[in-house]
Structures are given as structure tokens and as C-alpha cells.
Amino acid sequence: MTDRSRQAVLLFGAPGVGKGTQGKALGCIPGFFHFSMGDAFRSLEPDSELGQKVSSYTSRGELVPDEVTVQLWKQTLEEIEESDAYRPETDLLVLDGIPRSVRQVQLLSPHVEVLRVLHLACGDERTKEHLVERLRKRALRENRADDAKVEVIRRRFEVYRAETQPVVEEYGPGVVVDFDPLGTPAEVLQRILSVVAPIQRDLTHKAAAAT
Ligand code: ADP
């Protein structure tokens, strides 16, 4: 099996827009596997060399270097595949928080086929202020050091605009689908499912036909 047999959709959007909530919800449905890059970083041993290196970036709201990120992504995913929790022949991979730069798109492309970019598009400044507030509340709830300081949150938005937003152009209009991220988690999930459920069904049918 080539690595490109992994088929994925990418949850994409500004910090705090709800990628994690949607990713977790999708990951509960058989046939979907949710992979969060932020969670992979947070599960590193804090005192390990890699853990320390990663937190020197996340604590400032900066992106972890591309090579380090993609290497950890690949290694973690391979371990998950070996444990059989994710089966590329039948499961649609839901990528959350990776790729987050144009270079990461290039580094990932030999290993996964991104079928759709699910762009949770937040428009105006008012929405942004709402997201900053959401992140501050989440930081308290989940004990996340990176979002406890407003300066770090603002830096994360700048990094998103400068380094992450250009990812959309890499995939192009046929792949990118814009979603309204406002509403209840269930309402947003319903919008996303209208796009991803048929993709996952096709994957299941293809796998069944191949056996
Ligand atoms: P959010 O859900 O708020 O968008 P994440 O939990 O996905 O945030 O990520 C937290 C932090 O981890 C980011 O601010 C960044 O420092 C780091 N990070 C996550 N994904 C990547 C990535 N693909 N490349 C580089 N750094 C990343």
C-alpha cells in the first residue's frame, strides 16, 4: 500500500473557531479517524528534549518548525496504524491543525491525499474578538498555557494570517469548501457532514468492492 492511499479531509480555520470540537465529534463516528496535531504536541513528555523544544514555540504562539511537526505527525500516525485504531482502507482521516503552512502541504503530500479542505471561515473583526474571548475561557478550562495570555493569542492570529491562511490557495477552489462556523456544534456538524458523509461512504464502498 502506498502512503497516498490515506485519504483525508482537513479541518481548517482560525484558532478557536471550533476545529477541535468538530474533529472530536467526527472522530466518534465509525469510518472517521480524527488526528489533532495540537493534541499530539500536548501529549509529549514535557521534560523530554522534543517536549521542551515544542513548548518553546507553542508558549509564544509560534508554529513548531515544519520538519519537526511533519516527522512527529508521520511517526504518530504510523503507530496508530500499527495499533489498528486507524485503517486507511476504510477510514477517512480527519486532519485537525495540520498542514498549517505551505511547506507542510508539500511535506505531507507524499503521505496523504487531501480530498477536501473544510474551511471554517470567520469573517469580520467582531468574530475575531469573540474567538479571542473563547480561547481565554478554554485556556482556563483546559489548563492550556499557550492561550492564557492575550498577547500570545493575538500572536497566534497573526501567525494564522501570515503562515496558515496561504494553505487555502495551495489546494484551490475545487477542494476547499467554506462553512459558516457560527451556530451550535450540532448545527456546524450537520453542515460538515453534508459534505464528508458521501466521501466516507464512497471510501467504504470502494473498500468493499476490493475485497
Ligand atoms: P487551536 O486548536 O487553538 O488552533 P492547536 O491545539 O491546534 O490550536 O495548536 C496549539 C499550538 O500547537 C499552535 O499554536 C502551534 O504552536 C502548535 N501547532 C499545532 N499544529 C501545528 C502545526 N501543524 N505546525 C506547527 N505548529 C503547530
Side-chain angles (χ1 to χ4, degrees), residues 70-210:
V70 173
Q71 203 198 339
L72 179 68
W73 171 80
K74 191 165 168 284
Q75 187 190 322
T76 312
L77 197 64
E78 283 168 359
E79 282 166 16
I80 296 169
E81 278 170 11
E82 270 165 37
S83 78
D84 232 21
Y86 159 57
R87 292 195 283 160
E89 319 80 59
T90 51
D91 294 341
L92 185 62
L93 182 60
V94 180
L95 292 172
D96 166 5
I98 185 166
R100 235 167 163 125
S101 69
V102 169
R103 177 75 185 132
Q104 288 181 19
V105 174
Q106 294 157 355
L107 290 171
L108 239 67
S109 85
H111 305 295
V112 66
E113 186 183 1
V114 174
L115 302 173
R116 290 285 182 283
V117 174
L118 312 169
H119 183 201
L120 296 166
C122 86
D124 59 12
E125 281 299 301
R126 250 188 27 247
T127 323
K128 196 183 122 193
E129 285 313 309
H130 170 73
L131 292 179
V132 171
E133 210 26 55
R134 230 197 214 189
L135 286 173
R136 265 168 32 83
K137 289 200 182 121
R138 181 179 74 180
L140 295 174
R141 210 174 46 239
E142 297 179 7
N143 199 15
R144 275 186 57 167
D146 58 341
D147 288 334
K149 297 194 195 118
V150 174
E151 315 88 80
V152 176
I153 298 179
R154 298 212 183 276
R155 179 67 195 140
R156 299 220 297 127
F157 277 96
E158 280 166 25
V159 168
Y160 176 74
R161 216 175 5 243
E163 297 182 49
T164 305
Q165 206 123 51
V167 164
V168 168
E169 274 92 76
E170 290 299 298
Y171 288 109
V175 173
V176 180
V177 189
D178 282 347
F179 290 96
D180 178 1
L182 300 178
T184 64
E187 285 171 326
V188 180
L189 182 63
Q190 196 169 33
R191 292 170 205 146
I192 290 179
L193 278 173
S194 70
V195 171
V196 299
I199 296 176
Q200 196 280 327
R201 181 199 51 214
D202 290 350
L203 195 61
T204 306
H205 286 178
K206 243 186 254 159

